[in-house]
Amino acid sequence: MPHSAIPPRGDDGAPRRAALLTLGCARNEVDSEELAGRLEGSGWELVDADGEGSAPDVIVVNTCGFVEQAKKDSIDTLLAASDAAKATGAKVVAVGCLAERYGAELAESLPEADAVLGFDAYPDLAERLSDVIGGHAPAPHVPVDRRTLLPISPVERPAAALDVAVPGHAWVPNLSRTRLSDGPVAPVKLASGCDRRCAFCAIPSFRGSFVSRPPDDVVAEAAWLGMQGVREIVLVSENSTSYGKDLPGGTRALVQLLPRLGSVPGVDRVRLSYLQPAEVRPDLIRAIATTPGVAPYFDLSFQHASPAVLRRMRRFGSRENFLDLCERIRDLAPEAGIRSNVIVGFPGETEEDLQELEQFLIGARLDAVGVFGYSDEDGTEAAGYDGKLPPEEVTARVSRISALVDELMAQRAEDRVGTEVEVLVEAEEDEDFECTGRAAHQAPEVDGECVFERGSGLEVGDLVRAVVVGTEGTDLVVSPRELLPRSDLDAAPPRSAATAGAGRESG
């Protein structure tokens, strides 16, 4: 039979088996679960990459290509997968941002990967993997600037996007997404791509122009996740504040979407990520801060506070603007979580610029801050800038700002002692570790966590009202007060969290 008609079954008649490894951000997690759904819908079986149980026929590595360390991690994972595959004869296939961004160049430099597939291969992934197993790997794609694949006018993009592969946008229940984790938190894609031209960022070139998902699709996917036991959804995109610019309702579409998501049965917390400070409008602040079911959490990409540095970055704002934004948020929600990332050592950054950033951080009292040292990225405007700082100076500035941030975040955590928080449990207590979870002001992985006192008897997926009784650096030590029922259950009045363990044992 022609190689393209090879069925998803091995010589023993069993289904072909694939393992998926995911690196990078939550957007990649969504993409991997869409790929998993496509494979299962085509008759494939999903297995663990470590070979426990049935060994995979192919290991698919969903790579990240954002910054140098992420690229290195992706390469290391591909090499490790190749070593593991030697024992079983499995094929190794690279997909994701690194594969899309470098294509044939990656394939040439990494012969350990049996195939390098770009985003355009995603709709037919099962067929492409069958080709690889059959010894007919498709030629690596030649990367293009994906911004050229959609119209310049945003309102013309939704129709055009039907003919362009946009990972994470398909939605057919039980077909286009398969959960790869049974945890109580799941990301949901709000949009893909970005229209901004930040001088340090290459993402738009390989993720493409900004395209919103239809609001009904977002709500339907959230409802499906709620039925899978998910209690918190995290809305992700490259720039969530642009959501709706290409839809009939315009950018008010996000303000209108949040209440719909906040009332989805089973989902008790909706979290919005990736906000551009210059695009945050008063109505959006109010919607995030006051809508029932929506976490008062603001993930604001400040990047710096010096107007001169921000201009060179092709961004907007100042210390005064950003402090005013933080104040307006806390006027509506005093306990709101505010986090950000900053880049130090950007070309031309002076000592005065760095001091301006320090003064902003001291005044803003952010809950969490990621500190990154500038490094050149292929294809970005900043890579050609003059005024590059020596690497050792960039490292010194990262250390300086990181030390300040650690102190400020610890102080912010101490400010929360005595307050009430609602904590979603994500790890149960065992003999080595305490039970942990996250409050509304803490996003998965990037922020601190809440640590319960031992003997709480709580389980993964519990939502608990608790009191902050202490801190461990940026983490909060909390004492449980009561369990909160899922939003879709007509449960009895909440019982004391202290009785949770006993109730489960007797049930």
Side-chain angles (χ1 to χ4, degrees):
M1 68 176 57
H3 65 80
S4 61
I6 294 174
R9 295 189 175 273
D11 295 337
D12 59 358
R16 291 290 190 191
R17 296 180 290 270
L20 278 161
L21 299 176
T22 306
L23 295 98
C25 65
R27 300 184 293 275
N28 252 18
E29 293 178 29
V30 177
D31 294 352
S32 285
E33 294 194 349
E34 181 187 298
L35 295 180
R38 290 183 183 279
L39 290 174
E40 281 199 333
S42 298
W44 285 63
E45 179 184 351
L46 299 176
V47 297
D48 291 332
D50 58 16
E52 291 187 10
S54 300
D57 296 299
V58 60
I59 301 172
V60 180
V61 181
N62 190 356
T63 61
C64 178
F66 179 40
V67 293
E68 199 60 39
Q69 186 58 52
K71 298 175 194 175
K72 182 180 183 301
D73 291 345
S74 294
I75 296 295
D76 289 346
T77 302
L78 285 163
L79 292 173
S82 177
D83 287 341
K86 291 175 182 176
T88 63
K91 303 293 186 180
V92 176
V93 175
V95 299
C97 291
L98 191 69
E100 173 64 35
R101 187 174 180 184
Y102 293 103
E105 180 183 345
L106 177 63
E108 182 178 355
S109 63
L110 194 72
E112 291 84 357
D114 296 286
V116 175
L117 304 180
F119 297 151
D120 291 334
Y122 283 18
D124 303 311
L125 183 68
E127 185 176 340
R128 299 286 77 78
L129 296 185
S130 292
D131 288 346
V132 174
I133 293 172
H136 304 281
H141 78 107
V142 177
V144 299
D145 187 333
R146 293 189 74 84
R147 291 172 292 192
T148 65
L149 303 182
L150 292 172
I152 294 176
S153 172
V155 296
E156 297 177 5
R157 291 176 192 162
L162 297 175
D163 299 319
V164 176
V166 183
H169 275 230
W171 174 244
V172 180
N174 300 318
L175 174 59
S176 45
R177 182 169 182 176
T178 293
R179 293 209 69 203
L180 298 175
S181 165
D182 58 0
V185 183
V188 173
K189 268 206 180 172
L190 197 60
S192 286
C194 186
D195 288 342
R196 299 183 70 89
R197 295 295 183 267
C198 300
F200 54 81
C201 183
I203 289 176
S205 66
F206 56 87
R207 276 292 184 176
S209 297
F210 185 90
V211 185
S212 302
R213 292 184 67 199
D216 288 349
D217 284 8
V218 177
V219 174
E221 188 167 352
W224 177 79
L225 288 167
M227 291 187 288
Q228 309 304 306
V230 171
R231 297 191 74 171
E232 177 179 324
I233 62 169
V234 183
L235 300 174
V236 298
S237 71
E238 276 74 28
N239 176 11
S240 296
T241 39
S242 284
Y243 181 77
K245 64 186 287 185
D246 50 346
L247 299 176
T251 52
R252 276 197 54 81
L254 182 55
V255 173
Q256 296 164 349
L257 176 63
L258 290 176
R260 295 180 62 189
L261 292 170
S263 61
V264 167
V267 175
D268 294 287
R269 182 186 290 164
V270 177
R271 186 182 304 278
L272 188 60
S273 298
Y274 305 108
L275 305 175
Q276 289 289 344
E279 298 178 13
V280 176
R281 306 173 311 278
D283 59 344
L284 181 58
I285 295 174
R286 182 171 295 279
I288 298 172
T290 65
T291 300
V294 175
Y297 176 82
F298 293 80
D299 178 12
L300 295 163
S301 178
F302 290 122
Q303 302 299 357
H304 213 282
S306 162
V309 173
L310 289 167
R311 283 195 297 271
R312 286 195 292 274
M313 289 179 169
R314 302 294 184 194
R315 297 175 69 85
F316 307 95
S318 66
R319 172 164 57 116
E320 291 77 13
N321 293 152
F322 294 162
L323 289 175
D324 176 68
L325 176 56
C326 294
E327 184 177 349
R328 285 186 284 133
I329 289 169
R330 290 185 173 125
D331 282 345
L332 289 170
E335 300 302 325
I338 307 177
R339 82 158 333 265
S340 191
N341 295 316
V342 297
I343 298 173
V344 298
F346 194 75
E349 182 188 63
T350 65
E351 172 62 25
E352 290 73 20
D353 293 327
L354 200 62
Q355 291 176 9
E356 187 77 359
L357 176 60
E358 289 174 326
Q359 291 305 306
F360 164 68
L361 293 170
I362 292 169
R365 297 170 50 246
L366 304 178
D367 291 273
V369 184
V371 182
F372 298 89
Y374 172 81
S375 61
D376 287 340
E377 275 296 310
D378 297 338
T380 62
E381 180 182 354
Y385 280 3
D386 295 329
K388 301 282 178 60
L389 300 179
E392 59 272 19
E393 176 60 23
V394 175
T395 299
R397 294 187 182 196
V398 169
S399 297
R400 171 177 163 182
I401 298 301
S402 295
L404 173 63
V405 160
D406 288 345
E407 180 182 354
L408 294 171
M409 290 192 301
Q411 291 174 2
R412 180 63 178 152
E414 291 172 0
D415 290 343
R416 294 187 181 275
V417 173
T419 64
E420 275 197 351
V421 289
E422 291 184 1
V423 182
L424 181 61
V425 176
E426 295 184 275
E428 296 176 13
E429 178 181 320
D430 60 24
E431 60 182 16
D432 296 317
F433 299 100
E434 293 90 351
C435 173
T436 59
R438 292 176 301 99
H441 70 279
Q442 297 167 320
E445 299 182 8
V446 295
D447 301 337
E449 62 183 4
C450 291
V451 181
F452 285 92
E453 299 170 315
R454 280 197 170 272
S456 63
L458 298 169
E459 295 183 353
V460 171
D462 282 341
L463 187 64
V464 187
R465 181 173 290 114
V467 174
V468 181
V469 295
T471 64
E472 296 177 355
T474 59
D475 296 335
L476 305 181
V477 179
V478 297
S479 178
R481 291 296 181 264
E482 64 178 4
L483 291 175
L484 302 176
R486 285 179 63 87
S487 61
D488 60 333
L489 299 178
D490 294 325
R495 67 188 188 281
S496 167
T499 67
R504 288 194 177 97
E505 292 172 358
S506 63

